[in-house]
């Protein structure tokens, strides 16, 4: 993938790049729609990565090209602004703009040429966008000598996503992409931004985590995601708290009295999901990964029934995996499409894969893409 990025760079720009950086996509083990409620999440990086080859320039122009879009885009550094970029270039150029918002002196840097390649499936709920943002943020930070730490680079990526791409997402995906380590998950408190890297031990315990990409496409810049976020904010406001993070299960009785049924169920998802993240971390430490299944299952039920962000394809993927011996399964990511995950003993991988494909065919759903993922290292310089 490093070679591909370098070769693509040479083809587009006719010279050698000065460096290559990469950042991974992610799977969220548990903690969904909790990040923008100041709550807890527990994602990990996957092996699929986005690589960025960078070469310096003598002027103040930034050019971006990629292996997946037809034309390169260019802009003068003085013209960078949220509404000055569009299409996929909003991700890399949005990051360049956002670095300036965090205090980088963009008036005194020179331009760059960037070439992006990726193996993170797009629209699969595996954070292909955070992978681009994180790789570009790390590359520009190092090339321009900005000295931002990784939690700050995660915020830079989120700002690009919120203001330039226009998706009102939280901090989880960029944090997973920047902070992950091999065979571990990132337990992140989204209020303090304290992050703890916790070994998952899947391989040692003979477990595999399967991703089932339903190929139902979703976009968080429009529709349901923003509506869920608004419901959470309305619920917090009605209950007199700054964020839903401040509520525990003992508050749910009062919430049921104060809120309309729909808002109550949105709130209940967030409150119980935060608890499930804490329980997952504790269970993992005390009993190992083989014991976290019921928490994954309960998370899916909560997203399906209370938060209402699942779709029939995700429900079928989860139910089929569970029926054929998975330890636990749930949809992962923002919802309305994308992927489910299922944890199982290694030997069940071919069985569950076969059964999921058969179940989708029988229901007349589009053929899903099923593959195991391994918790992998976060963003890094590769060359
Ligand atoms: C998307 C967003 C994240 C998070 C998840 C839901 O992946 O980018 O910030 O809100 O949805 O947990």
């Amino acid at each position: 993938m490093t070679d591909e990025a370098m070769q693509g760079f040479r083809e587009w720009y006719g010279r050698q790049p000065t460096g290559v950086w990469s950042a991974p996509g992610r799977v969220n083990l548990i903690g969904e729609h909790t990040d923008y409620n100041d709550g807890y999440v527990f994602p990990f990086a996957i092996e699929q990565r986005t690589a960025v080859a960078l070469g310096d320039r003598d002027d103040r122009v930034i050019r971006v090209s990629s292996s997946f879009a037809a034309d390169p885009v260019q802009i003068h550094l003085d013209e960078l602004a949220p509404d000055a970029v569009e299409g996929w270039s909003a991700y890399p150029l949005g990051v360049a703009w956002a670095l300036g918002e965090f205090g980088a002196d963009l008036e005194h840097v020179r331009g760059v040429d960037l070439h992006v390649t990726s193996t993170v499936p797009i629209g699969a709920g595996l954070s292909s966008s955070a992978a681009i943002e994180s790789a570009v943020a790390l590359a520009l930070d190092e090339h321009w000598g900005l000295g931002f730490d990784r939690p700050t680079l995660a915020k830079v990526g989120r700002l690009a996503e919120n203001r330039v791409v226009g998706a009102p997402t939280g901090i989880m995906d960029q944090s997973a992409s920047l902070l992950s380590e091999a065979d571990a998950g990132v337990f992140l408190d989204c209020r303090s931004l304290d992050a703890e890297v916790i070994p998952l031990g899947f391989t040692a315990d003979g477990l595999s985590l399967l991703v089932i990409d339903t190929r139902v496409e979703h976009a968080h810049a429009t529709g349901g995601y923003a509506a869920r976020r608004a419901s959470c904010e309305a619920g917090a406001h009605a209950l007199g708290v700054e964020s839903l993070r401040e509520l525990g299960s003992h508050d749910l009785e009062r919430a049921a009295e104060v809120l309309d049924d729909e808002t109550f169920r949105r709130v209940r998802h967030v409150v119980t999901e935060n608890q499930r993240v804490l329980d997952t971390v504790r269970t993992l430490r005390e009993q190992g990964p083989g014991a976290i299944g019921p928490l994954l299952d309960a998370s899916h039920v909560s997203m399906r029934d209370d938060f209402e962000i699942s779709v029939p394809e995700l429900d079928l993927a989860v139910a089929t995996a569970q029926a054929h011996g998975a330890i636990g399964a749930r949809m992962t990511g923002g919802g309305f499409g994308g992927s489910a995950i299922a944890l199982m003993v290694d030997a069940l991988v071919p069985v569950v894969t076969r059964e999921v494909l058969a179940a989708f065919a029988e229901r007349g759903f589009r053929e899903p893409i099923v593959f195991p993922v391994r918790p992998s290292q976060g963003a890094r310089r590769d060359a």
Side-chain angles (χ1 to χ4, degrees), residues 75-382:
I75 191 165
H76 194 280
L77 272 161
D78 294 338
E79 285 160 13
L80 274 180
D83 50 9
V85 296
E86 56 186 30
W88 81 274
S89 75
Y91 297 97
L93 297 175
V95 164
W97 167 80
L99 285 167
E101 296 299 294
F102 275 81
D105 180 6
L106 296 187
E107 280 173 27
H108 294 99
V109 297
R110 282 204 300 247
V112 289
D113 286 333
L114 302 173
H115 180 74
V116 181
T117 59
S118 185
T119 58
V120 186
I122 293 172
L126 301 175
S127 292
S128 55
S129 49
I132 297 188
E133 289 154 5
S134 302
V136 171
L138 196 66
L140 291 178
D141 176 73
E142 203 171 305
H143 178 71
W144 283 336
L146 304 176
F148 288 135
D149 60 17
R150 288 181 178 230
T152 305
L153 294 178
K155 291 186 201 166
V156 164
R158 178 181 55 179
L159 184 65
E161 183 95 31
N162 292 168
R163 291 285 308 283
V164 185
V165 179
T169 51
I171 194 75
M172 170 168 75
D173 305 341
Q174 294 81 5
S175 300
S177 188
L178 283 154
L179 303 177
S180 284
E181 291 176 19
D183 298 319
V186 178
F187 170 42
L188 180 71
D189 177 336
C190 299
R191 180 164 66 185
S192 64
L193 294 186
D194 284 344
E196 209 181 326
V197 175
I198 299 181
L200 291 169
F202 292 162
T203 312
D205 283 12
L207 301 179
S208 291
L209 196 119
L210 216 52
V211 166
I212 302 155
D213 171 8
T214 63
R215 299 169 76 199
V216 177
E217 293 202 12
H218 66 289
H220 296 326
T222 50
Y225 186 96
R228 294 304 179 279
R229 188 171 179 154
S231 284
C232 291
E233 281 161 12
H237 184 74
L239 293 164
V241 290
E242 189 128 324
S243 71
L244 296 182
R245 156 66 180 276
E246 288 163 46
L247 304 177
S249 49
H250 52 275
D251 294 304
L252 289 176
E253 209 174 308
R254 180 170 69 93
E257 285 161 14
V258 173
L259 305 172
D260 64 81
D261 175 61
E262 185 182 285
T263 312
F264 169 67
R265 287 183 294 112
R266 306 298 188 243
V267 168
R268 182 166 61 185
H269 165 71
V270 174
V271 170
T272 57
E273 184 79 349
N274 274 327
Q275 189 57 48
R276 281 186 290 270
V277 177
L278 298 176
D279 291 346
T280 300
V281 170
R282 187 173 36 79
T283 304
L284 194 62
R285 282 187 167 131
E286 291 172 1
Q287 301 173 55
I292 67 171
L295 292 157
L296 304 183
D297 295 343
S299 171
H300 187 76
V301 170
S302 180
M303 289 188 283
R304 186 191 63 200
D305 299 346
D306 273 357
F307 220 59
E308 295 181 284
I309 54 172
S310 191
V311 294
E313 288 84 349
L314 287 167
D315 292 339
L316 181 65
V318 166
T320 307
Q322 288 164 338
H324 292 89
I327 290 165
R330 60 186 287 275
M331 54 148 282
T332 187
F336 307 102
S339 296
I341 54 171
L343 185 64
M344 65 201 68
V345 294
D346 294 334
L348 276 181
V349 169
V351 179
V352 172
T353 304
R354 190 184 62 226
E355 295 296 336
V356 166
L357 290 172
F360 271 60
E362 194 179 318
R363 284 278 287 273
F365 291 157
R366 197 171 172 197
E367 187 177 321
I369 303 171
V370 187
F371 54 99
V373 286
R374 268 206 310 222
S376 301
Q377 199 195 340
R380 62 175 185 237
R381 182 167 189 168
D382 294 307

